[in-house]
Amino acid sequence: MNSSKLKPLLFLCLSGLLASCAQQPKPATERPVTSVGEDITPTVSEDARELYQKARDYQGEARQIHLLRAARVALEQQQYPLALAITQVLSNSEYRLIRQRNTLPLLQAYIANRETERANALLEQTSLDTLPTADVSEYLWHGGQFYAQQLRSLAASRWLLQLDQLQQTNSQYPELWDLLWQQLTALNQSNLASLRTGAGNRQLAWLSLAELSRVNVGQQQALQQALSDWHRRYPFMPEQDALPQALQQLTALTPYQPARIGVLLPLTGNFRAHAKALQYGLITAATEQTAGTVQLIFIDSQQSPEQITEALKQQLVDFVVGPLLRDQVDKVSKQSDWPWPTLFLNSREPLQQKRPDHFFFALSMEDEASQMAELFQQKNYRRPVVISVRNNISQRMQQHFASEWQALGHGAPELYQFSAKAELEAIVSSLLETDASQSRIRSISSLLDRNTKLEAEPHSRLDIDAIYLIADPVQTRLFKPYVDVSVNQTAPRLPVYASSRSFSASLDRNEQRDLNGLTFTEMPWMLGEQSSVALREQYQQLFSDQDEVLQRLFAMGHDAFQLIARLKQQQHLPALVFPGLTGQLSLDSNGSIVRRLSWASYRNNRLIAVQEP
């Protein structure tokens, strides 16, 4: 019998078994009643199904205690459907202590059976002070692991920090510090700051360690000095050789430390303005970080590959940033005798041979589509719809979302494209089936007497989980209000998500009101996040008239310079994340920078940062 059939069958059997708990007690000659305080730890030789059958020999609360024992053995023996069936029934026990002792195995059963939505609800609704003291650490460990697997690093960090504060050691959970460090390094600065509220001494110590490693990454001497200061300030924390492996490796690696960086940009021609924006970003970051000790040598990438190579040799450069344009990146990256470690400012060709000193940094729209597919998976959506404007980039994003969604184990999502406003309105009406509903209303009205008025309103589809819109700001402002009025008022709100292509920093309050409820991905720089406020003020004084495309390229240039000292570390430590202006930046196995953008939403006629999922 497979597990999908076993679960409901066991649930029915258990429900009947528990319903009989209120019957008259059995004679004294039968098995004694067990108390809640009695040790019921299972032995290795016991079988979960045998224990489940033996529970019939008991009555009332004692029967449920032995069912709980069977559930724990079932988890140990990986009989997960049985464990889930038992713990689900016991979660409705009339005995408070049974419900409390059942919480941990219930969570374990949910996770083991991939009941993600139920596990998440249990974690959010259960207060730790309601758990038996003996179960709190294990509950925190499973909760932290669950959130980490769901890529919810902020929630995972909260739980793992609590566990470390409780344990004061990793002896019981040897992987604790490595997993905690992995989650902390994935957070942005505002996330780290939020964890300081109400934090204990050990929690503050971990947060300080995460911050100092971030500030000093790529500067080995400064990092070692900061670590020494940290140990003096927090003597109760792990010694150097007991710190997370990733941090120890970070201190041991020698980063790229170029003195002369050649920057290949299209300084002439149609992309000159784009090159200037990148220049400003690079120069600003170099001035902040090195106080002018590193030289940036700008070379026009519109020259031939031979001229570029000769210019780089003459300038004695030891690292290269660029080129920017696709065809130039392809020509340079395919040169077998290219001697310089290079951070290309565009994406890597999928079939191109990997080279250890070639890195690729692009403001890839595909990264946003992947991030949205992950979010929908975490929110347990099943029937998303993707609507994109009919152009190259938007349709590429749409197709990428579809392939990522199917790779996560789902069927193909519904895909729609539009070019004009009328076409967009027709898609929404057809998609939500409000046109069919209105047609039915008209048909029924035609059958009635002319003096009889039919009271009816159109109904929309209820099987759609969410809409992902890939369109520009003007098209988005047309779309969102039309969806809102097309969805039946008695139906659940239909969430609408968008990409950074929908965002414009110049929207006024009335335009923002039209977008209430819209959630989208965007780079931290464009959202004016707290970590970049001072730089944003400086930028606005110098370049107040730059359009948003050039603002994004400024942020890219700024991040490109800061990445140089981190690339070798990120190459050896895939979990290492750099919180840049363009997103949370990590490096994949092919040498490509992967961006995770921030989330923002329009609520109450204003834009606010949100934590998703």
Side-chain angles (χ1 to χ4, degrees):
M1 181 178 292
N2 63 39
S3 62
S4 62
K5 295 179 180 178
L6 185 62
K7 289 180 191 177
L9 179 61
L10 285 170
F11 187 87
L12 288 173
C13 294
L14 283 163
S15 297
L17 185 60
L18 289 180
S20 66
C21 288
Q23 294 174 359
Q24 293 297 318
K26 291 193 175 185
T29 55
E30 299 196 9
R31 289 182 180 267
V33 173
T34 305
S35 68
V36 172
E38 188 175 324
D39 182 16
I40 56 165
T41 305
T43 62
V44 176
S45 61
E46 292 177 307
D47 179 77
R49 284 186 171 78
E50 290 177 3
L51 288 171
Y52 162 63
Q53 294 296 334
K54 288 178 182 178
R56 297 175 179 274
D57 297 336
Y58 297 87
Q59 293 295 314
E61 189 174 19
R63 176 175 287 179
Q64 295 186 29
I65 291 170
H66 284 80
L67 285 173
L68 186 57
R69 183 180 185 177
R72 288 174 174 167
V73 175
L75 288 166
E76 291 176 6
Q77 297 174 351
Q78 299 183 15
Q79 298 185 45
Y80 298 135
L82 175 62
L84 179 59
I86 295 173
T87 52
Q88 276 193 282
V89 170
L90 292 179
S91 66
N92 295 314
S93 171
E94 66 272 34
Y95 302 108
R96 180 176 61 86
L97 290 177
I98 292 293
R99 293 196 304 274
Q100 289 178 341
R101 295 184 68 176
N102 182 62
T103 305
L104 173 59
L106 178 62
L107 174 64
Q108 294 171 294
Y110 280 153
I111 294 172
N113 286 278
R114 295 185 175 86
E115 297 280 354
T116 304
E117 191 170 359
R118 288 175 171 176
N120 186 62
L122 180 64
L123 289 167
E124 290 182 353
Q125 295 166 11
T126 302
S127 174
L128 293 177
D129 57 17
T130 65
L131 296 174
T133 304
D135 287 352
V136 172
S137 291
E138 193 73 6
Y139 191 78
L140 285 168
W141 177 237
H142 284 286
Q145 288 180 304
F146 171 78
Y147 284 130
Q149 290 165 0
Q150 296 296 307
L151 304 179
R152 298 177 61 179
S153 294
L154 181 58
S157 297
R158 287 189 192 280
W159 283 63
L160 296 172
L161 284 169
Q162 288 183 79
L163 177 58
D164 176 72
Q165 185 77 28
L166 189 64
Q167 290 284 311
Q168 306 279 311
T169 176
N170 70 337
S171 58
Q172 187 174 346
Y173 303 98
E175 299 172 3
L176 170 59
W177 292 344
D178 285 332
L179 182 60
L180 172 58
W181 187 251
Q182 183 185 52
Q183 302 311 305
L184 289 174
T185 55
L187 299 178
N188 61 31
Q189 198 60 36
S190 60
N191 290 152
L192 286 174
S194 70
L195 290 171
R196 287 184 168 274
T197 304
N201 284 341
R202 285 185 67 89
Q203 293 167 322
L204 290 172
W206 281 114
L207 296 174
S208 296
L209 185 61
E211 288 167 352
L212 74 85
S213 69
R214 184 167 297 183
V215 170
N216 297 291
V217 67
Q219 305 171 65
Q220 299 307 88
Q221 188 174 350
L223 179 58
Q224 290 289 0
Q225 182 60 52
L227 278 172
S228 298
D229 294 342
W230 178 81
H231 272 116
R232 282 194 293 271
R233 195 162 62 250
Y234 303 105
F236 49 84
M237 293 298 286
E239 293 298 323
Q240 179 91 13
D241 59 356
L243 287 173
Q245 284 297 310
L247 180 57
Q248 293 187 51
Q249 291 175 311
L250 189 65
T251 62
L253 285 171
T254 301
Y256 290 116
Q257 296 174 312
R260 297 171 65 82
I261 300 173
V263 184
L264 308 179
L265 293 173
L267 302 177
T268 57
N270 295 335
F271 295 95
R272 183 180 177 185
H274 300 77
K276 286 291 183 185
L278 284 159
Q279 271 186 298
Y280 295 147
L282 285 156
I283 292 169
T284 302
T287 304
E288 289 173 347
Q289 198 163 339
T290 66
T293 59
V294 173
Q295 283 188 274
L296 296 176
I297 300 153
F298 293 96
I299 297 170
D300 191 357
S301 63
Q302 303 285 43
Q303 304 174 79
S304 70
E306 294 75 19
Q307 290 173 309
I308 290 172
T309 300
E310 184 60 30
L312 291 170
K313 288 179 178 177
Q314 287 181 1
Q315 292 294 340
L316 303 176
V317 306
D318 43 12
F319 196 95
V320 174
V321 174
L324 171 67
L325 304 181
R326 171 81 273 160
D327 62 326
Q328 295 171 359
V329 168
D330 291 344
K331 288 176 184 177
V332 169
S333 63
K334 291 176 182 176
Q335 290 187 36
S336 59
D337 58 347
W338 185 262
W340 300 280
T342 304
L343 176 60
F344 297 96
L345 299 178
N346 210 312
S347 56
R348 174 182 177 275
E349 267 195 6
L351 299 179
Q352 187 172 340
Q353 185 177 0
K354 176 187 172 184
R355 290 176 58 174
D357 55 355
H358 281 194
F359 306 92
F360 297 83
F361 178 31
L363 301 184
S364 169
M365 302 304 291
E366 282 85 353
D367 286 346
E368 294 193 53
S370 296
Q371 189 173 340
M372 194 64 72
E374 288 174 7
L375 176 72
F376 285 9
Q377 165 86 348
Q378 291 160 5
K379 285 183 170 287
N380 294 300
Y381 293 152
R382 294 290 180 268
R383 294 287 302 275
V385 171
V386 190
I387 302 175
S388 81
V389 65
R390 197 175 281 113
N391 65 35
N392 222 8
I393 295 177
S394 298
Q395 290 186 267
R396 200 171 73 220
M397 287 181 69
Q398 186 185 60
Q399 290 300 323
H400 188 78
F401 174 93
S403 63
E404 290 288 300
W405 184 246
Q406 289 174 277
L408 290 170
H410 303 282
E414 293 185 46
L415 306 179
Y416 298 89
Q417 296 88 33
F418 70 95
S419 298
K421 177 183 176 183
E423 195 175 2
L424 178 60
E425 292 177 351
I427 286 173
V428 174
S429 295
S430 174
L431 168 66
L432 298 178
E433 297 182 353
T434 51
D435 53 350
S437 179
Q438 287 174 332
S439 176
R440 287 192 295 270
I441 292 171
R442 287 193 295 270
S443 297
I444 294 172
S445 296
S446 67
L447 300 174
L448 300 176
D449 184 89
R450 277 185 294 178
N451 296 322
T452 303
K453 185 178 181 181
L454 177 66
E455 296 289 340
E457 63 178 33
H459 283 260
S460 54
R461 281 175 65 182
L462 299 177
D463 61 327
I464 296 174
D465 290 315
I467 294 177
Y468 182 24
L469 176 69
I470 306 171
D472 67 28
V474 173
Q475 294 159 337
T476 303
R477 291 200 303 275
L478 290 171
F479 176 83
K480 182 62 172 63
Y482 194 72
V483 169
D484 290 342
V485 299
S486 298
V487 174
N488 182 28
Q489 296 302 305
T490 61
R493 185 183 68 85
L494 180 60
V496 179
Y497 296 86
S499 72
S500 62
R501 298 180 66 77
S502 290
F503 175 68
S504 173
S506 62
L507 298 183
D508 60 31
R509 296 279 289 185
N510 288 333
E511 291 168 323
Q512 290 181 348
R513 181 186 59 213
D514 291 339
L515 297 175
N516 277 336
L518 180 75
T519 300
F520 61 96
T521 46
E522 182 56 277
M523 63 172 63
W525 174 245
M526 299 304 294
L527 296 174
E529 291 188 3
Q530 191 63 37
S531 57
S532 63
V533 167
L535 180 60
R536 169 61 74 175
E537 291 175 355
Q538 177 186 345
Y539 176 87
Q540 292 290 3
Q541 291 174 1
L542 295 173
F543 314 114
S544 58
D545 59 342
Q546 276 199 344
D547 67 26
E548 291 181 9
V549 171
L550 299 183
Q551 290 184 46
R552 295 174 194 277
L553 290 172
F554 171 89
M556 183 184 186
H558 194 279
D559 282 356
F561 184 86
Q562 293 199 307
L563 279 168
I564 293 171
R566 294 167 166 82
L567 288 171
K568 195 166 287 186
Q569 280 78 355
Q570 290 187 296
Q571 191 174 42
H572 288 85
L573 305 169
L576 191 63
V577 176
F578 167 57
L581 300 182
T582 59
Q584 302 293 306
L585 308 179
S586 58
L587 191 68
D588 70 14
S589 59
N590 291 316
S592 296
I593 300 295
V594 178
R595 293 190 306 146
R596 292 192 67 82
L597 282 75
S598 297
W599 294 98
S601 183
Y602 290 101
R603 297 178 185 174
N604 299 320
N605 307 337
R606 65 190 184 94
L607 180 66
I608 63 169
V610 295
Q611 178 69 29
E612 289 285 4

